[in-house]
Amino acid sequence: MDRRTDDGLDRPSRLDGAGRLGMAEGELSEPPELTAFASDIQGCTPQYFDAQLNELQEHPEQMARGGVMIPTADEWPAVVVTLQSKTSQAIVVTGAKVSVLSTRHLPKQGVVVRASDCGGGMDDRAFDVDLRSNPVSLKPTVERTAQGKVIQSRDFPYKVSSNDPEYLVFNVKNVDRDVRFAITLAWVSEGEPGSTRLDNGGRGYRVMALPKSLPRYDKGEIFGRKKAP
């Protein structure tokens, strides 16, 4: 008998063979598996829209749906991940890997809309993702406060359970193309290794570098302008 893990792969069940006797006697149970949730990539950064200015003005719902996030020196998009076990028994999350699903040249048409009213802070479970490197670099975030103090985010491993979740933040700070990526988490439960893949429902998490040849507008500027006749 096989069991399906969160990464979508069939793995041999511990109940195969002689294990069926233990199941009949109530002595053997499946180890708990990791539950991971992440919404689409988010952040207070400029966004790319495959549209012209007048199209955004006439169809503001495109703005509401959001565009493609563009990291800057001061603000960057992030994937926020919630980790939890299905039982009170702890699972050890041992690491994470970022893999590139697709990469292409920056677009030559469209517009960039600047962000506004941004705020932020340091997450103590944060990691910096560098999509320019091969393989992709993933390191604990290091920041310097206004007082000159250096703060480094905590690295793996983490322990999670049903009543003790963890929240990880993957900051995409460096990218030089139009990229889609996925995150795979490695974990151990009752001595058995497992992995969980996060890929935004198969679409991947999409970010891009700033297309410097495209026009840029403030969000308020777009809706404050009169529509073209």
Side-chain angles (χ1 to χ4, degrees), residues 5-227:
T5 63
D6 287 342
D7 58 7
L9 300 177
D10 292 324
R11 302 193 187 281
S13 171
R14 293 180 63 194
L15 303 184
D16 290 346
R20 294 195 177 98
L21 177 61
M23 178 181 66
E25 297 176 353
E27 296 175 355
L28 191 63
S29 62
E30 293 289 338
E33 296 178 358
L34 183 71
T35 299
F37 171 79
S39 59
D40 200 353
I41 195 164
Q42 54 190 278
C44 189
T45 73
Q47 297 182 47
Y48 163 77
F49 291 88
D50 185 13
Q52 299 303 313
L53 174 61
N54 63 327
E55 293 175 317
L56 292 179
Q57 292 173 325
E58 294 171 0
H59 301 282
E61 66 274 10
Q62 294 187 51
M63 297 281 293
R65 288 195 296 266
V68 182
M69 298 284 179
I70 300 173
T72 69
D74 301 316
E75 300 288 344
W76 41 84
V79 178
V80 181
V81 181
T82 302
L83 304 177
Q84 197 169 22
S85 170
K86 297 178 180 179
T87 71
S88 59
Q89 183 170 331
I91 292 176
V92 179
V93 183
T94 57
K97 179 182 178 181
V98 176
S99 54
V100 172
L101 304 180
S102 68
T103 177
R104 56 186 179 183
H105 295 295
L106 296 175
K108 296 182 179 180
Q109 62 182 15
V111 299
V112 174
V113 179
R114 302 184 188 95
S116 59
D117 301 325
C118 294
M122 171 70 177
D123 298 289
D124 60 357
R125 304 288 194 270
F127 297 85
D128 290 348
V129 179
D130 188 345
L131 293 171
R132 298 175 305 181
S133 62
N134 187 17
V136 177
S137 170
L138 181 67
K139 298 179 180 179
T141 296
V142 178
E143 290 192 359
R144 186 180 297 274
T145 67
Q147 294 74 32
K149 181 180 179 181
V150 175
I151 302 176
Q152 177 172 321
S153 175
R154 179 186 155 192
D155 201 353
F156 292 100
Y158 298 97
K159 283 187 177 181
V160 299
S161 64
S162 59
N163 54 7
D164 187 19
E166 282 284 2
Y167 304 92
L168 307 184
V169 179
F170 295 89
N171 296 312
V172 183
K173 293 189 175 182
N174 295 301
V175 61
D176 55 7
R177 292 169 64 87
D178 182 347
V179 177
R180 294 180 187 267
F181 66 93
I183 301 171
T184 301
L185 300 163
W187 46 269
V188 176
S189 176
E190 290 188 358
E192 290 195 5
S195 64
T196 300
R197 178 183 167 100
L198 299 168
D199 59 9
N200 198 22
R203 300 182 300 273
Y205 300 102
R206 185 183 177 192
V207 294
M208 69 170 62
L210 177 66
K212 296 182 179 179
S213 62
L214 299 185
R216 307 172 206 175
Y217 304 98
D218 292 326
K219 186 178 295 186
E221 181 183 7
I222 289 178
F223 298 114
R225 287 189 175 190
K226 293 182 179 180
K227 297 181 181 180

